[in-house]
Amino acid sequence: MIRVLIVDDEDLSRQALKNLLQESGDVEIMGECRNGFEAVESIPRLKPDLVFLDIQMPQLNGFDVVELLEEPAPAVIFVTAFDEYALKAFEASALDYLLKPVQAERLAKALEKYYRQTAGLKPVSFAPFIESHQAHSAPLARILVRDGQKIHIVPTTDIMYVKAEDDYVMLHTAQKALLKLERLSRLEKMLDYRTFCRIHRSFLLNIVYLDKIAACSKESRLAVLKNGAKLPISRQGYRSLQKILNDEKRLSRSID
Amino acid sequence: MISSPLFRSRNHLVFLGLLGALISAGIVFFFTAAAQATVREAVLLLLPALTLEMFLGLFSWYLCRFLPLEGPRLANTFAAHFLTGLLVNAFWLTSIFLYSQLLDQLFETRSWSALYDRALFFLAGIGLGLYVIFILLHYLVLALEKTQAAEQEALQQKWLASEAELNALKNTIHPHLIFNSLAMLPPLIAAAPQQAELLVGRLSDFLLYNLRYSKKTTVPLHEELQHVKDFLEIETLRLNERLRVEYRIDPSVLNEPVIPFILQPLVENAIKHGIRTTLDGGTLAIAMTIAPAFIQVMIRNPYEKNSASGKSSGLGLETLRKRLAGAYGAAGRLRILQDQNEFTVEMQIPRQRQVL
């Protein structure tokens, strides 16, 4: 008996899949989620074996849900509507997906593959897929942070600076500070290099929020932010900062 | 001189060569009669002179380009051409005079300067005449170029509009809608056959409209509205209570003629990039009002700016904008207003009985 969770924002899509799964027998439907938030909340609680995950959902799409899942994550079969972007993402990966309308034979094949994998064949990992998906959508427009039960969607334009904290990063916005499991160097690569500057080994600054650069001794400088916060600037960081600021100046001049 | 348009293509060059040869032959013939000279003598004296005249004439291109043959400064143009004409002719005659002195030194068979004196008035007339011909030719070319540029511009406009038409036509095929509707059918057939029937009916009406009106230039607005209602009924089956629609329509707009397929792209956008990006859905408001000169359509929807999917490429709106411009010119307007969580599109269409 496979314990299954269905995630889809459309009532009819969930119904269609439920009908097909019930006909295929050996399946227990543990629940249904109407959006990504519900899915991220339900999956650790219900611990399904297999999740049918829709891609096109409001706010958190299927890719976001997978990114937010904590280990051990269940097996996932993606379900997607006719969408060129999503289809391209799948074709570039080895992941299984079902195209809507889901057909009985295709579903049977996907379930069969799931059985083979749980019977000892190595399970497919999402990590490389998610990473390449993120790399393709760089620069990131938003960052997802899971804070216990709560999920924050942080637009990158709201981030003033990011501080490295061991294996985590702390995202500082005007309102709050959020901890995310991520390496600063990887985050730096995914953010817009024209606005985010690595001013220090442990700090990534959004130059939009920079007020001025203060010299505090011969060799060390401080970035003073518009809200008054002060961040250290390393020598290497000062060079990158100057480069970004110059590029920006040139750009704004060419627009004038 | 090379920039003279008379030199621009090989055809021009051949034509001018032939014309030049013909005119030169004529001049030589008349010169022999007017100055009692042999053909050989005439050629010897006139060939370098006519070559020089050609160069001088081609220089007038610059003058013609900067002195328009229209507008309030027409008198200036004529005065400038008259003065330069006199100067150029004086220069030309002086050159021939000096050349005849040279010939006196070289060939003592006859008095070349006496020949020049005898033919002075004839030469002056020829010089002025040729100069005038060059100026006329240059103005002719300028006028041709101007109409060509205007034609090209008109063609470009037309091409842009028809490109937008083609895009709009392509969009009427709606593979997404067909796929999504098909995906809804199996569960509907199982659970609510009447709704499955409704879906098939609305989808057929929707596609039928696309087939019927893709060739028409105008439709009454109420047919456009019906088209959108068919579409929205399909979407309501899909989104259930997440989609609420509110119509505020002044009944007097309904018979106004408009170009087809201007409402549906707006409504589709409002759902795809608006309603569907919000967790609990929202209200899609469609309003139409009428003014003496135009019809105003307003479509408003909520949207979630941090949503993953649903970022609009803006292509649909751009196509619509081009089509409006193609059909109505500057009077057909599309205005987009966006705030934190609401998106509004205002479309203005000029009223008229018939759009060509």
Side-chain angles (χ1 to χ4, degrees):
Chain A
M1 195 69 131
I2 324 173
R3 295 150 24 100
V4 164
L5 184 73
I6 299 175
V7 184
D8 198 313
D9 66 321
E10 286 174 30
D11 303 344
L12 280 171
S13 291
R14 288 198 307 277
Q15 191 59 49
L17 198 55
K18 222 158 68 176
N19 294 348
L20 286 173
L21 284 169
Q22 273 159 356
E23 280 165 28
S24 74
D26 212 23
V27 170
E28 181 199 343
I29 295 163
M30 308 184 70
E32 299 173 29
C33 299
R34 289 177 306 142
N35 56 55
F37 292 103
E38 285 184 15
V40 174
E41 184 270 324
S42 305
I43 289 169
R45 185 165 52 80
L46 297 173
K47 296 194 173 56
D49 302 321
L50 177 62
V51 177
F52 285 93
L53 185 57
D54 181 28
I55 296 296
Q56 295 83 8
M57 292 188 292
Q59 293 203 44
L60 290 184
N61 66 20
F63 299 133
D64 296 332
V65 170
V66 173
E67 187 192 333
L68 285 164
L69 287 182
E70 282 163 354
E71 299 292 325
V76 173
I77 294 175
F78 290 101
V79 183
T80 180
F82 178 78
D83 173 330
E84 280 162 52
Y85 172 70
L87 291 182
K88 224 181 259 170
F90 282 119
E91 273 159 21
S93 75
L95 288 183
D96 250 346
Y97 67 94
L98 293 169
L99 186 63
K100 291 182 190 178
V102 177
Q103 297 173 43
E105 313 90 82
R106 302 264 164 80
L107 178 64
K109 253 187 207 161
L111 285 174
E112 206 177 285
K113 195 166 174 194
Y114 165 78
Y115 279 122
R116 275 209 310 275
Q117 280 167 355
T118 49
L121 284 164
K122 71 174 169 74
V124 179
S125 165
F126 298 125
F129 173 60
I130 291 298
E131 261 181 46
S132 84
H133 175 68
Q134 282 174 340
H136 277 106
S137 44
L140 288 184
R142 65 215 243 294
I143 294 177
L144 305 176
V145 183
R146 188 172 178 158
D147 174 14
Q149 280 310 330
K150 215 167 146 39
I151 289 158
H152 300 274
I153 300 176
V154 188
T156 49
T157 48
D158 285 3
I159 297 173
M160 299 193 297
Y161 66 95
V162 186
K163 183 171 189 273
E165 312 247 348
D166 299 323
D167 292 338
Y168 290 82
V169 289
M170 185 72 93
L171 309 173
H172 290 264
T173 69
Q175 291 81 30
K176 55 197 176 226
L178 295 163
L179 203 60
K180 181 179 168 68
L181 184 62
E182 181 71 271
R183 288 190 312 276
L184 192 61
S185 53
R186 211 177 85 84
L187 190 63
E188 184 187 358
K189 275 189 206 128
M190 294 189 299
L191 290 170
D192 191 344
Y193 63 89
R194 285 164 301 186
T195 50
F196 281 91
C197 176
R198 186 79 172 262
I199 55 165
H200 185 270
R201 195 164 42 84
S202 318
F203 287 97
L204 196 55
L205 170 70
N206 184 345
I207 60 162
V208 173
Y209 294 93
L210 177 69
D211 180 27
K212 60 183 178 213
I213 299 171
C216 65
S217 75
K218 244 184 207 157
E219 273 301 295
S220 73
R221 298 181 176 85
L222 284 177
V224 182
L225 270 53
K226 283 173 184 158
N227 72 342
K230 293 186 180 75
L231 308 177
I233 303 176
S234 66
R235 228 176 328 150
Q236 170 65 36
Y238 184 62
R239 276 197 291 273
S240 342
L241 187 58
Q242 273 185 320
K243 191 174 173 304
I244 288 186
L245 291 174
N246 282 336
D247 286 350
E248 192 194 36
K249 221 180 282 168
R250 204 173 312 135
L251 196 70
S252 60
R253 216 181 300 139
S254 70
I255 287 165
D256 295 340
Chain B
M1 191 238 0
I2 292 304
S3 73
S4 167
L6 304 180
F7 266 5
R8 236 164 245 170
S9 77
R10 227 176 52 185
N11 285 351
H12 281 180
L13 214 60
V14 169
F15 172 73
L16 285 175
L18 284 176
L19 190 70
L22 212 67
I23 290 176
S24 304
I27 291 171
V28 166
F29 173 73
F30 284 114
F31 185 82
T32 51
Q36 288 121 44
T38 65
V39 173
R40 258 187 71 192
E41 287 164 350
V43 169
L44 193 60
L45 184 70
L46 287 181
L47 204 62
L50 288 173
T51 309
L52 178 65
E53 175 65 24
M54 186 187 79
F55 282 101
L56 293 173
L58 287 175
F59 270 116
S60 71
W61 165 245
Y62 296 102
L63 221 57
C64 292
R65 220 171 38 171
F66 293 113
L67 295 170
L69 208 55
E70 59 193 2
R73 310 187 66 179
L74 200 61
N76 285 6
T77 302
F78 277 117
H81 279 309
F82 183 68
L83 282 176
T84 42
L86 286 184
L87 277 174
V88 164
N89 211 37
F91 175 72
W92 188 59
L93 291 173
T94 313
S95 305
I96 300 174
F97 171 70
L98 291 175
Y99 175 60
S100 67
Q101 299 271 322
L102 181 71
L103 288 177
D104 275 343
Q105 305 282 319
L106 292 176
F107 310 100
E108 289 171 357
T109 47
R110 65 168 299 159
S111 168
W112 294 90
S113 34
L115 183 61
Y116 168 80
D117 285 342
R118 224 176 313 145
L120 180 59
F121 285 107
F122 179 80
L123 285 173
I126 292 290
L128 274 180
L130 286 176
Y131 192 73
V132 168
I133 288 175
F134 269 107
I135 286 179
L136 290 179
L137 271 177
H138 280 149
Y139 275 120
L140 187 70
V141 169
L142 278 174
L144 279 177
E145 273 185 353
K146 212 168 163 184
T147 50
Q148 251 169 18
E151 262 171 34
Q152 207 155 27
E153 178 133 346
L155 215 63
Q156 174 101 359
Q157 263 311 321
K158 225 170 149 182
W159 182 74
L160 276 178
S162 56
E163 194 200 8
E165 283 302 323
L166 187 67
N167 267 331
L169 208 61
K170 257 195 257 168
N171 289 338
T172 59
I173 301 167
H174 289 285
H176 288 84
L177 188 70
I178 297 172
F179 263 96
N180 292 334
S181 303
L182 284 175
M184 282 152 68
L185 275 178
L188 278 182
I189 290 168
Q194 323 88 299
Q195 290 199 347
E197 228 174 271
L198 180 78
L199 172 61
V200 173
R202 291 299 173 265
L203 185 63
S204 323
D205 285 350
F206 181 86
L207 295 173
L208 192 65
Y209 182 88
N210 293 344
L211 287 179
R212 276 175 54 205
Y213 288 111
S214 53
K215 290 194 192 87
K216 296 214 176 179
T217 49
T218 62
V219 294
L221 195 50
H222 65 84
E223 300 215 25
E224 273 286 292
L225 188 62
Q226 188 55 50
H227 186 51
V228 156
K229 281 182 175 166
D230 290 337
F231 176 75
L232 285 172
E233 271 195 74
I234 298 169
E235 291 293 308
T236 307
L237 282 172
R238 197 151 79 102
L239 298 172
N240 283 339
E241 70 281 359
R242 278 165 68 199
L243 172 61
R244 297 175 285 280
V245 188
E246 191 184 279
Y247 296 98
R248 279 202 191 153
I249 292 167
D250 181 341
S252 49
V253 301
L254 293 176
N255 284 320
E256 292 290 324
V258 296
I259 55 172
F261 310 115
I262 53 175
L263 289 185
Q264 196 273 337
L266 292 178
V267 171
E268 185 177 340
N269 252 5
I271 291 180
K272 193 170 167 200
H273 307 298
I275 307 286
R276 285 216 65 183
T277 64
T278 63
L279 280 184
D280 301 316
T283 302
L284 170 66
I286 302 177
M288 295 186 198
T289 51
I290 198 158
F294 54 83
I295 305 158
Q296 180 102 18
V297 176
M298 188 221 58
I299 289 171
R300 175 178 291 148
N301 61 272
Y303 79 103
E304 171 57 53
K305 66 178 186 326
N306 289 331
S307 205
S309 41
K311 283 273 169 347
S312 165
S313 62
L315 209 72
L317 288 180
E318 207 36 57
T319 299
L320 183 57
R321 208 190 284 277
K322 277 187 201 145
R323 290 188 63 222
L324 287 174
Y328 303 114
R333 266 181 240 157
L334 203 60
R335 209 155 70 100
I336 296 158
L337 308 158
Q338 188 172 9
D339 72 7
Q340 281 297 306
N341 43 32
E342 233 180 19
F343 199 87
T344 309
V345 179
E346 285 175 4
M347 179 165 60
Q348 182 185 307
I349 304 159
R351 288 177 68 184
Q352 50 201 172
R353 286 288 113 201
Q354 200 68 47
V355 180
L356 293 175

